[in-house]
Amino acid sequence: MAGLIERYRDRLPFAAGDPVVSLEEGSTPLVPAPRLSARIGAEVHLKLEGANPTGSFKDRGMTCAISAAVREGAQVAICASTGNTAASLAAYAARAGLRGAVIVPEGKIATGKLAQALMHGARVIALRGNFDEALALVRALADQHPIALVNSVNEFRIEGQKTAAFEIVEALDGELDALCIPVGNAGNITAYWRGFREVGVFPRMYGFQAAGAAPLVHGRRIEHPETVASAIRIGNPARWEQAMDAMTASGGTVAAVTDAQILAAYRLLAAEEGVFCEPASAASVAGLLAHGAGGAERIVCVLTGHGLKDPDTALAEAGSVIPCEPEMGAVERAVLG
Ligand SMILES: *Cc1c(COP(=O)(O)O)cnc(C)c1O
């Protein structure tokens, strides 16, 4: 499959002949979730965005943001990140031959994401502060220097991410009642809604935030956001109004899910559907289980990132290994006992 700029160029701000930096992102699976469907009493599908090249949906926005940065002649790309934007920026910057710099909250990003950003050769800066402070700082820095800022305040990110809505509409022939999606900085829900509107399909948009990081639910900024779902640990979303507009205009809502609900959905997806996503991604399914989707018959839950991103949370939540002596009886007991 071609990358998404090539596939959707007529609906993206790229002309023929523009430079394209791609890892053939997009075209991710939309898989039915039979067990979850039975629990909900509706047809539920999972959009597996962890199948993107760096393991999250951020690659959709990054192919566009980095391609545009190259077109503009940028030498350096920067972002503030809870992890996945950093991993994605690092990979696409490496591919483009740009210098990548990422500012992450110190000690607050999942191990896999840190490994990716470092392996791809980005300059990784651990800020003694949270994501919201990191974003404010990179915005000011990009104002003063010729640096491409590729957070989702960058329009090209939203343009790239809207293509996931196109793919869902194509896969389901436009028959979709509701979309459930985790909300952090609120770029992705903004992008999906834009994509759906462009193709004239209007599912209800249900955005879910972690209870300890739910500014949209409370209608006010959260000074010290806290949740196990590090990718959505954000207290002051950049796309606040647009996200609220998507939910209101579509007849959906925003609601909170507790860490316990997120982790239960995380385990359920892995153990019952064979799908390993990261904790933040499971917020979409946790929200559907906790709040429903207004009687929708056909629902898509967006699973934003791959479970391997965050092995520490997985090991803390999963069963333990069974130690065993190297002899038949012991192995028999271990396997069949
Ligand atoms: C970035 C991210 C989110 C949140 O997306 P926003 O556009 O910031 O709302 C959710 N899940 C994962 C895995 C992410 O990386």
Side-chain angles (χ1 to χ4, degrees):
M1 275 285 188
L4 59 85
I5 294 181
E6 209 175 308
R7 285 173 61 215
Y8 295 113
R9 194 188 293 266
D10 57 333
R11 294 182 243 174
L12 292 171
F14 293 94
D18 281 353
V20 171
V21 183
S22 172
L23 291 162
E24 308 214 350
E25 56 295 310
S27 308
T28 56
L30 182 68
V31 302
R35 307 268 160 57
L36 188 57
S37 297
R39 278 174 195 253
I40 299 291
E43 189 184 314
V44 183
H45 300 258
L46 306 171
K47 183 67 169 161
L48 304 189
E49 289 292 282
N52 276 297
T54 78
S56 85
F57 75 84
K58 299 298 198 303
D59 295 343
R60 292 182 186 273
M62 206 54 72
T63 183
C64 291
I66 295 293
S67 296
V70 168
R71 185 171 61 190
E72 289 151 19
Q75 307 285 314
V76 183
I78 195 168
C79 70
S81 177
T82 58
N84 280 330
T85 304
S88 186
L89 179 155
Y92 283 80
R95 189 138 180 113
L98 301 185
R99 186 201 291 178
V102 303
I103 303 196
V104 299
E106 185 178 45
K108 296 286 189 184
I109 84 166
T111 311
K113 304 173 189 181
L114 187 59
Q116 288 178 289
L118 291 168
M119 276 301 288
H120 290 303
R123 194 169 289 195
V124 179
I125 298 140
L127 190 78
R128 302 203 175 92
N130 64 28
F131 170 84
D132 302 291
E133 294 169 293
L135 181 58
L137 285 165
V138 294
R139 289 179 93 150
L141 193 72
D143 276 347
Q144 287 165 22
H145 300 273
I147 302 176
L149 175 62
V150 299
N151 277 101
S152 54
V153 295
N154 178 319
E155 268 303 302
F156 291 101
R157 287 275 311 278
I158 306 298
E159 284 292 304
Q161 286 167 208
K162 77 182 181 187
T163 59
F166 300 162
E167 291 176 13
I168 290 172
V169 169
E170 287 163 24
L172 298 178
D173 258 340
E175 300 295 322
L176 169 68
D177 304 312
L179 185 92
C180 297
I181 182 169
V183 176
N185 213 24
N188 212 26
I189 190 168
T190 299
Y192 270 86
W193 184 234
R194 183 184 296 180
F196 284 128
R197 275 182 313 171
E198 287 185 11
V199 294
V201 172
F202 303 97
R204 293 198 291 276
M205 305 290 288
Y206 290 95
F208 297 111
Q209 300 203 289
L216 300 184
V217 176
H218 300 299
R220 64 176 165 79
R221 224 191 247 224
I222 306 297
E223 247 8 272
H224 302 290
E226 263 318 323
T227 167
V228 66
S230 57
I232 54 172
R233 191 186 281 141
I234 293 177
N236 184 22
R239 298 269 178 183
W240 190 308
E241 288 80 17
Q242 282 157 291
M244 290 313 295
D245 175 64
M247 291 181 273
T248 312
S250 67
T253 54
V254 61
V257 283
T258 64
D259 279 5
Q261 289 170 326
I262 289 172
L263 292 172
Y266 172 66
R267 290 189 303 261
L268 179 148
L269 283 164
E272 294 192 6
E273 300 289 3
V275 174
F276 186 23
C277 65
E278 63 174 284
S281 310
S284 60
V285 169
L288 176 61
L289 287 164
H291 302 285
E297 286 175 12
R298 199 183 240 185
I299 302 160
V300 169
C301 291
V302 182
L303 298 184
T304 44
H306 201 288
L308 289 171
K309 292 275 190 176
D310 187 356
D312 302 321
T313 303
L315 290 172
E317 289 300 310
S320 44
V321 298
I322 302 163
C324 185
E325 294 305 318
E327 45 155 278
M328 197 52 176
V331 174
E332 239 167 21
R333 282 192 299 281
V335 174
L336 303 167

